[in-house]
Each structure stands twice: as C-alpha cells, then as structure tokens.
Amino acid sequence: MTIARLNAFNGLFLRAEHLERMQEYTRSLAYALGQSGGPGVVHGYSAKLSPNGLKLVVDPGLAIGSTGRPFLLQASAELDLTNPEVTGQKAGAGTLRMIMVTGKDTRFGKENVYGDLCAGASVGNTEPYIAEEAVIRIGELPLAGPSDTSDGTLRSLVSSKWFAHERDLSGPWIAATDQADRTDILRGDWGSGFALPAPADPDAVPLGLLLCTSKAWVLDVWTLRRERTDPPPRRVRQAQLGLRPWDVFIAQVLQFQDMLAAGWPGAIARRSAAATADDMNREVRRNVEEAKKHITSKRAQESLAAVLELVPKTDAATAVTAGPPRLTDDLGILELPPAGFLPQSAGAQSSVQEWISAMFPRAVQLNFRSCPADAVVSAVEGAQHLRRISLTPSEGKTAVPVDILVPDGVESADGLTTERPWVAFRRHADCCLDGLESVDLHLYAVSSPDDGERLVAGLTDGSIDPTASEAAEHHVVRYPVGGWVVPENQSGVERWKEGGGSVTAIGLAGSVENRVLTAGRAAMFLDLFPHAPGDDNRGAGGVFAAVRTGLTRDAIVLVRHPERIS
C-alpha cells in the first residue's frame, strides 16, 4: 500500500476518516522502519516450562514481525499445556508445536456517539480506543517430524531437520553442502534486487519449539527463535552466497549449549549409577567364584552357578565408567553446530584429551590444540559459515575432523596456573589459509598376506583408487606446509595402531613435485608402530611411493598385515 498522509488545509471539514489517515500514515512509517531492520526478538520473551511441565510461561519482551509490526508484551503470559484447545486436539508422542507471539487488536473505553452535528442528544456509544496487544499462542510447525520419535533423540533430530529446512528455504545460489551441487554461476540475476522471504505466518514471531515425547512436553527455544541482529539485505545476501546469517549461527550454538546443559546432570547421574552397579556386579561375581572354590556340595555348586547366571557379566568392553556423558549415547545429540563449548571437569582423574575424547564417537577425528582463551572464542566466532558436525555414521567411513581448542590456564598471584573449566570445539576448516595443508590418511587392515600384497600393488600401480576402496578408516592429517613429522594428537591413528601386525606405508602424491615429500611423510608414520628390539625396519612391510595425478590432494595409505612381511 502507498504511504499517504493527510493534505490539511483551512476550511477542511475534519472527520474520522481524516484522523484515521493521519494515524495510518504514522503506522505505515513505523512499520516500514520496523521492516527495514528485519523480524525477530529484540529483547525478553524468555520461555520456560513450569516445574511440573504442565504450563508454559513466557516473560515480557519486544519483538518485530516481518511486516514491521511491534509486539510488546508487558506482563508474563501463562499457557496451560493440558488444555487441548491450547496445544491442539491431536497432540501425542512426536507432536511438534511452534510457540509464537502475534498481534491482537482489542477495542476498549466508552464514549457517546452523536448524530447530527448540531443535535445535542447522543444516539449511542462506542469504544474509542484500540489496544495493539501481543498474544502468545501455540500453533502447528510447518515441518513434518522425523520418522524416529524416540524420546532420547527426538529433540536433536527435529533441530537438525529444521536447520536444514531453514537453509533450503533461503534459496542459496551457491551450494556449500554435501548434497548435489546445482550451482549456476552464470545465472542472470546477479544484478537484481531481492524480495523479502515470505514467512509462514507474517503476523507472528517464533519464540520456541514444543516437542511432545511419550512422557511430557519438552521445550527447545533456539531451534525456532531468531533474534533481530542483521537487516534483511545482509541476511538474504549471505544466504544466497551459501553463508550462514549471524542470528542463525548464534541460534544453532545456543540450541546445542541449552540441550547439553539440560541433559548433562541426568546423564552424569545415570553413568555414575551404572558404573556403581557394574562395580557391585563384579564384586558379587568375584565373591561367588571364590566361594565355589571352597564348596564341594554339588547342590551348593548348582545354586552358586544359578546366582552367577542372574548377575550381569561385565568386561572392559562393556563396563560403564564414571566419566563424562557421551554426546550420542547418553545425551541423544546426533549433530553439533559448527562450533561450541564443552565442560572440562576431568580433574585429577584423567587428562583433558582423555575426558573430551570420551564424549565423542569414533566418527569424529579430534585434533587437540592449546590456544590463548581470547583466540579460542575468536575461533568459535570464525566458524559461522562452516558445516554442522554429524556424530552419526551417515557420513560413511570418513572421520569428521574437529579441532578441540584448549584455552590456556589462568595464572594466580602466587604463580600457580589453574585449568579453565571449559574447552571449545570447531569443525576443522579444510583449507591451507592457516599455513597448514591437508593430507588424506587411509587405514586398511587385510586378512591375509596375499590380500595385503594385492592391495599394496594396486594402490601403487593405480589400479585401486584409495578414495573409492573400502578402507577401514579415513582421516585427514594436517601438516605445516612442507613438514614431514607426523602431527600430534592423531587420535584415530593412535587407536588403530594397537591392532598389531606388520605395517606397509604408501605415499600417494598428487604431483611429481610432491613425491619425495609424501614418501617421507608416509615413512614417518612407521615410527608410531611397535617393533621388535633390534629390528631396524620397525616390524613394518616397507615404504612405497607413487604419483597419482587424479587425487585432489596427497594421500598416505597404511596397510596392516596379519603377520610380518619377511
């Protein structure tokens, strides 16, 4: 609608329509200015569940809708989640609901209405004022829920699906994900303006997400809530270039931190209880086994055997330790933001590396680095446009490289240094801009010497593609440019080398110039593996080098054989 104002002049018979035009002009200007700053929450609007989980409480706040309308809530709002009229008639396990603030115009007051201008008698009365209220309501989420609605992983699955949905809705011109790339660099609209994205509800601002599990409603604020940080031109252009707007990045980080904090105490308690139960079971089994040695009665022996059948047996592989909760198994977190923070409270029980490594599954390759604290938080901010981190095997056998940034300790007045109670994680940016270059590391374990010889021959003569073959594991190793020494904290290699057997190292260079360097790097890996005393060849099957010009970057292949190669 065109912004129009009253053209006032002397002799104008001022009526209600003129006053309405004056109000409409002011409102149109205010809405246009509001729209120029973009939609989102300005302040407040904190949502939380009551202690019994039956009510939703939303604090006062200010938000701006996509039309530019302000939503000012001046008193806390409370919604009854047991009322089907509030949550919807079909709410059940797996139900997803959006919490939002919207507007409502309410007339109030009382004034007489007069008829003829010169008549003195009133012909009725009306409400002369309109309150532009902010109302909290719960509506449908415009997204189908995941097929897996189990309580433990529902929140993580829904948030991941929504973040991907939000990215797709932005219509990126540059594809920066692992999905099919249909980027058209020669498209004809690089010089065009843009239209504001059409929201699902133009008169509402999302404040949070409600998920219905088999037991209760669960609140997730940051999957949907976006704060008003950047104007539309910046957000839209970032999305078009395959970048992540700042408000989306902050929301993804805070969503993870909130989910971690909510699940941590319960997960710690469950692991501690399970570890205690394992200790008790082992003690009972030990006492029963000891008793069997001193009892000759056949009937008593049978009774003790029956007791052993009832007591669960634990070993080193299945025993639960009272360490940190595992992100996937204990907390149900299947995907991480590009960067974030983790608690570091290992104390004297274990090192920082052991404590943090215990949280992650094997699908993640952790590289530990010590940095000043201010550099750590800056690195987290710098991960804004990187991909999210999958903790599930869906990415195949390629280990996801993640940097664990350990902030330097705090030095007290007496000279003692105290570790900080946190570390940061950040998806590793596989690019040489930081003075490091990436090399693929493929790990193979063969079942027979003949298989090993065929594999080594195929990799060196080019008949076997290391990127297409079924390697046991794949990692990305980061070297200083031109460096030979194996970088420290290659956790995947540390686990893999414990399998024993002889090892062959193969350096596959992407160019003739890199052949010697890649061969040297491959040879240095053999020092990581145990060898017999006096064995100059380190119990290994030798070092090979080849030039494979089809590789996108240099690669090192380690082949572990079941027995020594003579």
Side-chain angles (χ1 to χ4, degrees), residues 5 289 359 412 497:
R5 56 189 172 88
E289 293 285 2
M359 298 185 195
S412 61
K497 75 178 185 181

Side-chain angles (χ1 to χ4, degrees), residues 169-191:
L169 280 180
S170 66
W173 293 353
I174 304 295
T177 67
D178 289 334
Q179 299 175 353
D181 194 336
R182 297 182 176 85
T183 299
D184 180 10
I185 296 298
L186 302 180
R187 60 190 299 144
D189 53 354
W190 286 102

Side-chain angles (χ1 to χ4, degrees), residues 124-144:
N125 55 68
T126 188
E127 298 155 320
Y129 308 112
I130 299 176
E132 297 184 350
E133 299 179 325
V135 179
I136 306 299
R137 64 181 178 89
I138 296 175
E140 297 281 345
L141 181 71
L143 179 73

Side-chain angles (χ1 to χ4, degrees), residues 52-65:
N52 59 12
L54 301 181
K55 293 183 179 181
L56 174 71
V57 180
V58 179
D59 292 341
L62 173 64
I64 306 296

Side-chain angles (χ1 to χ4, degrees), residues 218-264:
V218 174
L219 173 64
D220 185 299
V221 172
W222 290 104
T223 293
L224 298 183
R225 176 184 171 122
R226 300 291 177 267
E227 295 188 334
R228 196 170 185 255
T229 56
D230 290 326
R234 180 178 179 86
R235 298 189 78 262
V236 172
R237 295 308 187 191
Q238 282 182 325
Q240 287 175 341
L241 296 179
L243 305 175
R244 181 181 287 111
W246 178 253
D247 62 330
V248 176
F249 172 65
I250 287 296
Q252 292 189 10
V253 172
L254 294 179
Q255 191 276 337
F256 163 73
Q257 302 297 159
D258 183 51
M259 189 173 179
L260 178 73
W264 187 273

Side-chain angles (χ1 to χ4, degrees), residues 53 59 85 98 248 350 391 538 541 548:
D59 292 341
E85 295 183 359
M98 177 190 296
V248 176
S350 59
L391 299 181
R538 298 171 177 80
R548 300 287 296 275

Side-chain angles (χ1 to χ4, degrees), residues 196-227:
L196 290 175
D201 188 340
D203 294 321
V205 175
L207 301 178
L209 172 67
L210 281 174
L211 309 93
C212 189
T213 68
S214 61
K215 301 175 183 178
W217 287 102
V218 174
L219 173 64
D220 185 299
V221 172
W222 290 104
T223 293
L224 298 183
R225 176 184 171 122
R226 300 291 177 267
E227 295 188 334

